[in-house]
Amino acid sequence: MTPVLQVANLRKSFGGITAVDGVSFEVREGEILGIIGPNGSGKSTLFNCVLGQLTPTEGEVRIDGKPTTGLRPCDLNRLGVSRTFQLLQVFPQLSVRDNLILAGQEHQGTMASRLFGAADAGLGEAASQMIEFFRLSHVAAEPAGSLSYGQQKLLDAAMAFMAGPRLVLLDEPAGGVNLTMLANLRERLQAYHAERKATFVVIEHQMEFVMALCTRVLVLAEGRVIAEGLPQDIRKNPIVIEAYLGH
């Protein structure tokens, strides 16, 4: 079966500095891949090359076997690729429900259908389902900016999954979230994966979050892959302990 995501010999240089140095990996359907590494290891640059925010210096990216290297984020949206960012991308003045409807519109329809279609763009029922699934019913009508940071992170994740994407890339979803809300976020992501067989990739500094959530882990250091395997094997890998846990 063709992997959902294939990254082959990806390299990205900025002047004389190589941030990503020949990285290759695959993500199979229904898998949760975690990408970890110390600060400066190239995680965010790698993500941005995959997602079209940066153009790789060398290498290739494929979605479902189709070359997508250098495609714009909006083009990737149409192929069913969604993401979250390190910095929250919610619209603080809009309600939780309207944030979800807006996120869904990014992946479907035309400008004409948005201007002249139903007020909820036909996404009201899907938004209600996501609100219930991510346990945001009690704040559905509240402005997103009034939510706690942890609740906004839940909303951010719900927005990424709103259109039933083929692949979701989550950029440090645990960042700044307290332990109670972090457990809730992890449990919701695990439940979504179990119910929808969703495929996603997570980059994260929070080691325990990655080890508990992901089915496979890739470790970067200085722009290169230094280890790849099951969470329990990565946790005790001496190369990983030296490069990552030792920092």
Side-chain angles (χ1 to χ4, degrees):
M1 183 180 293
T2 302
V4 176
L5 172 65
Q6 294 169 285
V7 174
N9 195 34
L10 204 70
R11 192 180 308 274
K12 180 62 180 178
S13 298
F14 300 95
I17 299 172
T18 301
V20 176
D21 192 2
V23 170
S24 298
F25 65 92
E26 296 180 347
V27 182
R28 298 179 285 272
E29 187 164 8
E31 183 176 32
I32 308 176
L33 176 69
I35 300 179
I36 63 173
N39 287 332
S41 61
K43 301 187 300 297
S44 292
T45 301
L46 172 63
F47 243 37
N48 288 330
C49 286
V50 170
L51 288 160
Q53 259 115 8
L54 291 173
T55 300
T57 306
E58 293 179 25
E60 185 178 54
V61 179
R62 288 177 176 263
I63 303 291
D64 288 322
K66 301 172 184 175
T68 60
T69 316
L71 284 187
R72 298 173 302 169
C74 60
D75 297 322
L76 292 171
N77 277 348
R78 297 188 190 99
L79 293 175
V81 179
S82 184
R83 74 167 295 176
T84 66
F85 293 81
Q86 288 182 32
L87 298 177
L88 285 168
Q89 298 293 300
V90 302
F91 297 91
Q93 304 303 321
L94 296 181
S95 70
V96 167
R97 178 178 296 278
D98 286 344
N99 266 274
L100 287 163
I101 289 170
L102 196 60
Q105 286 181 291
E106 287 290 317
H107 295 266
Q108 68 178 49
T110 62
M111 182 61 71
S113 68
R114 294 176 194 179
L115 287 173
F116 303 112
D120 65 1
L123 294 166
E125 179 58 32
S128 294
Q129 291 175 3
M130 295 303 285
I131 285 166
E132 182 176 356
F133 187 88
F134 280 88
R135 297 174 178 166
L136 293 166
S137 299
H138 60 298
V139 293
E142 299 295 324
S146 70
L147 273 58
S148 71
Y149 187 76
Q151 288 172 325
Q152 290 186 48
K153 280 282 191 175
L154 276 176
L155 173 58
D156 199 35
M159 290 167 65
F161 288 106
M162 176 64 188
R166 179 81 174 118
L167 173 68
V168 176
L169 293 96
L170 304 171
D171 193 349
E172 298 197 17
V177 181
N178 67 50
L179 291 178
T180 299
M181 188 58 76
L182 191 60
N184 189 20
L185 174 62
R186 186 184 68 238
E187 188 270 334
R188 288 293 84 201
L189 290 173
Q190 287 171 323
Y192 191 93
H193 174 257
E195 289 187 18
R196 311 284 181 96
K197 300 296 184 284
T199 305
F200 47 104
V201 181
V202 182
I203 62 171
E204 183 55 70
H205 284 292
Q206 228 280 4
M207 177 72 74
E208 292 306 316
F209 183 86
V210 169
M211 295 301 177
L213 175 65
C214 298
T215 52
R216 186 164 58 94
V217 179
L218 187 82
V219 188
L220 295 181
E222 297 180 347
R224 299 185 181 94
V225 177
I226 62 167
E228 182 179 354
L230 298 174
Q232 59 267 32
D233 296 329
I234 293 297
R235 189 189 294 273
K236 59 189 179 185
N237 185 312
I239 297 174
V240 175
I241 294 170
E242 172 68 23
Y244 187 87
L245 299 179
H247 281 67

